[in-house]
Amino acid sequence: MTFNELGLKEEIQRAIQELGYENAMPIQERSIPFMINDNRDLVALAQTGTGKTAAFGLPILQLLSVEKKETQALVLAPTRELCIQIANDLKSYAKYIKGLKIVPVYGGENIITQLRQLDIPPQIIVATPGRLIDLIERRKVNLSKVDFMVLDEADEMLNMGFVEDITTIFEQTPESRRTMLFSATMPAGIANLSRKYMKEREEISIGKKNSGTENVAHVYYMVQAKDRYLALKRVVDLNPDIYGIVFCRTRQETKDIAEKLMQDGYSADALHGDLSQAQRDGVMQKFRIKNIQVLVATDVAARGLDVNNLTHVINYNLPDDIESYTHRSGRTGRANKTGISVSIIHSREKHKIKDIERIIGRQFEQNQIPNGMEVCKKQLFHLIDRMENVEVNNEQLDPLFPEILKKLEYIDKEDIIKRFVSLEFNRFLDYYKNAADLNLNERESFRDKSTGGKFDKGGRKGQKVRLKISMGDKDGINPKRLLGIINDTVGDKTISVGSIEVTNKFTFFDVFADQADKVITAFGSQEMFSVSEAKGNRVGEGNFRARKSESSNNRRSDSREKSYRRGGDAGGDKPWRNRR
Ligand code: AMP
């Protein structure tokens, strides 16, 4: 359907034509006529990238009255970045509407500037909930004349704990308002909110409920937990043109993985909550302009990032809830492009894949981590493709060419090709010469599981994993306090802790491999300290005691641990540097 057919004002049509929009996207086809011709509320299930902003923005621009200098439309969004983006999109749609003011207000920015912009009430405010409440309390925003209220990425706002703020904001708007709620998923919290604050409503769904995007292929690789990083590198190496986000569970893990990738010569950076706003903006900008190929991010930090042409989303760890998986994978396969959502999993996580498959209604494909030769071949042909397509600057090359020809005249064509290719390619060959098979087959994964499950008199026997918590001697930690913290955070008395080693900044402790994820996940949901797998984490097998009787034994680190520490990083698969 064209925009002409939707009956929008001439000024709006001119602006969207200039933006190159020809046909309305499905969500726009449904929402624009509905908002213009009906008077009910709207709930729309749609991922980002489906054209939501125009879907709510264009009918608002059509219906509000520019003559009135009062706030008639309010758009709530979870993050500052989304807020800015929505405001900018609306401004571009409203380019030819005279006298219209659109103001974004969001946290993390000097409030004085925003206060000044609100001196004359704008007809449209785009806001993050916390900052808006602040401005309402300062009496700089008056919502009593709001005709349209939009909740964008409502599920994200709930995840971020904004439910009370949203309730407060709803209470400030008149009951006569029309509400539009957009959400990628429909958890119970959203259903409650819409029941409470929305009147008779139309529900539209773009794509299936809770579905993975149609254009996304879901694949997983199964490896030992200690091989995750090596597997990640193989996936990246197998896709030389990758432009993707690697999702990690904690800030610490995000920092660690990004740092390792950078040290190993990849075009990567980290995005997480420990960065200042300016640093985050810088990283996002570099990623947007493709100065960085791989962005390592936490779910929360990546929320503000809107990029449409990602080739891959990589789940370095599977998220704890399926909604997060949907959000992550929905970041690729947008705007009619295809994308791949890759998950690197351990055998213990296979059941999670089954759960996700059931809920998103899509099958995962188990892929084999490629061997060294496969990666080398892929890289080699990529190099050859680049050579075929490189732009040759004859003008500057011509004066030097006779000399170059003279220098190379003794080598024949075939030899020249081999030498040029080797120049770049030898590094890959060297690196992958003795690369191990990282795939975890079913038999190994069974063995892994069964050893992890044995018990003996004094305690359990099985594979252990060494974890690292971001607290040490300087924070007054001791084994007893650590056990207390684990108890409080994980809330599961069956977690057994092995040897503990306290250093100045960090504390290392062993847990059974099959309980490690639970501990990491529990710590991942709080912000005070982070827990991650220590480098070269697999400690081996040994006896564990129940946690309560553990403290006196924990004070000394045993010889097994010492030999582990000497053993160093699980690496060995040393990469090259400065690949690009
Ligand atoms: P959104 O979901 O609003 O973030 O939109 C996703 C992307 O699609 C943005 O880059 C929009 O500029 C673009 N877009 C929105 N509507 C259309 C349309 N009708 N035709 C082409 N592109 C569009």
Side-chain angles (χ1 to χ4, degrees):
M1 191 183 275
T2 63
F3 282 101
N4 284 342
E5 295 169 89
L6 291 173
L8 293 166
K9 294 198 269 212
E10 192 276 329
E11 297 99 301
I12 300 177
Q13 287 199 31
R14 192 151 32 117
I16 53 184
Q17 221 167 12
E18 277 181 19
L19 289 169
Y21 297 5
E22 284 167 13
N23 294 309
M25 290 169 90
I27 195 167
Q28 297 159 358
E29 265 185 39
R30 304 276 304 273
S31 79
I32 297 171
F34 171 79
M35 286 306 292
I36 295 177
N37 302 317
D38 208 300
N39 56 11
R40 287 173 298 153
D41 290 344
L42 179 72
V43 175
L45 262 174
Q47 312 265 346
T48 32
T50 48
K52 286 182 303 166
T53 317
F56 63 75
L58 300 185
I60 289 177
L61 295 179
Q62 173 88 5
L63 296 170
L64 57 70
S65 60
V66 183
E67 301 73 41
K68 289 192 198 156
K69 303 294 173 214
E70 54 197 23
T71 302
Q72 298 159 55
L74 170 66
V75 181
L76 290 181
T79 62
R80 154 200 152 104
E81 288 78 11
L82 187 59
C83 198
I84 295 171
Q85 192 200 322
I86 293 172
N88 286 341
D89 284 355
L90 294 182
K91 281 177 192 170
S92 63
Y93 302 146
K95 187 174 167 192
Y96 295 109
I97 304 180
K98 292 219 165 57
L100 182 70
K101 198 168 159 198
I102 300 167
V103 171
V105 294
Y106 44 82
E109 187 89 341
N110 188 338
I111 200 165
I112 306 293
T113 328
Q114 292 180 1
L115 287 173
R116 231 176 276 133
Q117 289 181 302
L118 295 166
D119 282 344
I120 300 169
Q123 289 93 343
I124 303 179
I125 293 181
V126 186
T128 52
R131 176 55 62 97
L132 184 67
I133 299 248
D134 194 344
L135 293 165
I136 293 172
E137 282 166 0
R138 290 168 189 250
R139 299 188 181 283
K140 287 302 283 187
V141 169
N142 177 352
L143 300 179
S144 65
K145 297 281 163 35
V146 162
D147 293 320
F148 302 100
M149 170 139 161
V150 180
L151 303 181
D152 196 14
E153 302 210 351
D155 49 355
E156 290 292 358
M157 288 200 279
L158 255 57
N159 283 342
M160 291 169 80
F162 282 136
V163 69
E164 265 181 45
D165 288 350
I166 293 173
T167 307
T168 310
I169 294 165
F170 262 122
E171 304 290 347
Q172 298 285 318
T173 59
E175 268 191 39
S176 57
R177 68 165 189 266
R178 286 180 75 189
T179 307
M180 288 182 260
L181 185 150
F182 291 79
S183 192
T185 57
M186 194 47 69
I190 302 283
N192 288 340
L193 205 65
S194 65
R195 252 198 312 275
K196 192 158 173 208
Y197 290 105
M198 295 175 78
K199 299 176 288 276
E200 232 188 306
R201 58 189 176 266
E202 171 82 349
E203 285 193 23
I204 61 177
S205 169
I206 299 302
K208 273 187 287 167
K209 271 193 186 182
N210 290 333
S211 76
T213 319
E214 290 307 311
N215 297 341
V216 180
H218 302 264
V219 305
Y220 72 90
Y221 296 99
M222 196 155 76
V223 298
Q224 289 194 35
K226 72 173 175 54
D227 288 334
R228 264 186 224 275
Y229 178 66
L230 297 181
L232 169 67
K233 285 201 309 189
R234 293 246 184 122
V235 172
V236 174
D237 286 341
L238 195 68
N239 296 282
D241 286 324
I242 192 169
Y243 178 49
I245 303 181
V246 177
F247 283 99
C248 291
R249 243 190 323 225
T250 62
R251 294 172 183 192
Q252 192 57 46
E253 189 178 60
T254 305
K255 286 183 212 170
D256 290 347
I257 301 304
E259 233 157 71
K260 279 195 201 177
L261 284 172
M262 285 187 273
Q263 272 170 11
D264 289 350
Y266 291 85
S267 156
D269 212 335
L271 188 68
H272 52 76
D274 286 347
L275 301 176
S276 69
Q277 188 60 52
Q279 286 171 316
R280 272 197 302 228
D281 287 347
V283 173
M284 286 197 258
Q285 183 54 11
K286 275 200 284 179
F287 188 58
R288 271 192 210 104
I289 61 171
K290 297 199 175 173
N291 235 341
I292 303 169
Q293 270 186 284
V294 176
L295 184 71
V296 188
T298 56
D299 291 272
V300 176
R303 261 173 213 151
L305 183 67
D306 188 68
V307 180
N308 273 333
N309 45 354
L310 294 183
T311 59
H312 288 73
V313 159
I314 301 181
N315 297 283
Y316 189 74
N317 278 299
L318 282 174
D320 298 321
D321 57 289
I322 291 163
E323 278 167 46
S324 300
Y325 181 85
T326 315
H327 271 287
R328 288 180 180 186
S329 57
R331 292 186 151 275
T332 183
R334 290 184 182 181
N336 287 334
K337 299 222 173 74
T338 52
I340 302 176
S341 171
V342 173
S343 301
I344 301 174
I345 69 158
H346 184 263
S347 58
R348 295 189 305 272
E349 296 168 318
K350 220 175 152 187
H351 70 277
K352 287 194 190 171
I353 295 283
K354 293 262 167 286
D355 289 346
I356 298 172
E357 281 181 335
R358 211 179 48 245
I359 295 191
I360 68 173
R362 302 285 305 277
Q363 290 283 307
F364 276 69
E365 199 179 303
Q366 179 174 6
N367 282 0
Q368 294 290 302
I369 297 271
N371 63 31
M373 205 53 217
E374 287 170 273
V375 175
C376 286
K377 196 171 154 195
K378 192 73 186 271
Q379 289 282 350
L380 174 61
F381 281 96
H382 182 250
L383 174 69
I384 292 172
D385 282 347
R386 273 173 53 207
M387 191 189 71
E388 272 189 300
N389 295 323
V390 71
E391 202 176 309
V392 176
N393 189 333
N394 285 316
E395 209 177 308
Q396 282 174 317
L397 209 56
D398 280 351
L400 301 169
F401 204 61
E403 209 176 323
I404 297 171
L405 275 184
K406 193 150 183 266
K407 208 164 162 27
L408 298 178
E409 70 188 356
Y410 74 101
I411 320 178
D412 65 25
K413 182 182 166 192
E414 196 175 315
D415 211 14
I416 287 183
I417 294 174
K418 280 185 188 165
R419 282 164 192 256
F420 267 102
V421 165
S422 301
L423 208 58
E424 179 81 13
F425 191 54
N426 281 352
R427 285 181 288 173
F428 287 87
L429 284 176
D430 280 348
Y431 174 57
Y432 275 114
K433 206 163 41 198
N434 299 314
D437 179 4
L438 301 180
N439 292 292
L440 185 63
N441 62 40
E442 294 293 331
R443 238 183 49 233
E444 280 169 324
S445 73
F446 174 73
R447 203 167 58 226
D448 212 24
K449 234 188 222 164
S450 59
T451 52
K454 266 191 223 157
F455 284 79
D456 74 359
K457 250 196 203 151
R460 293 174 49 168
K461 264 190 173 174
Q463 283 284 6
K464 291 187 285 176
V465 169
R466 164 134 306 192
L467 301 182
K468 175 175 132 183
I469 185 165
S470 61
M471 271 188 311
D473 217 13
K474 69 173 181 44
D475 310 296
I477 200 81
N478 58 36
K480 198 169 169 197
R481 273 200 66 201
L482 176 72
L483 295 174
I485 289 168
I486 295 172
N487 233 341
D488 292 345
T489 310
V490 187
D492 177 351
K493 291 242 159 71
T494 68
I495 303 287
S496 301
V497 177
S499 57
I500 298 175
E501 189 198 2
V502 182
T503 68
N504 186 34
K505 280 193 187 158
F506 298 103
T507 302
F508 298 87
F509 61 99
D510 295 347
V511 295
F512 280 114
D514 61 353
Q515 296 184 324
D517 271 354
K518 184 159 195 187
V519 176
I520 292 173
T521 306
F523 276 92
S525 57
Q526 53 79 54
E527 301 227 321
M528 296 236 284
F529 13 77
S530 62
V531 165
S532 57
E533 284 182 21
K535 283 187 182 174
N537 53 43
R538 184 57 51 87
V539 182
E541 292 186 17
N543 290 341
F544 267 41
R545 307 259 168 89
R547 203 166 68 229
K548 268 182 277 179
S549 59
E550 185 70 11
S551 54
S552 59
N553 285 340
N554 285 330
R555 259 175 256 277
R556 57 193 160 73
S557 52
D558 61 17
S559 57
R560 212 172 41 242
E561 181 181 317
K562 286 195 190 100
S563 70
Y564 148 73
R565 304 216 95 209
R566 269 202 307 274
D569 204 311
D573 203 3
K574 261 277 177 245
W576 59 91
R577 283 175 180 264
N578 304 326
R579 293 183 318 135
R580 287 164 42 95

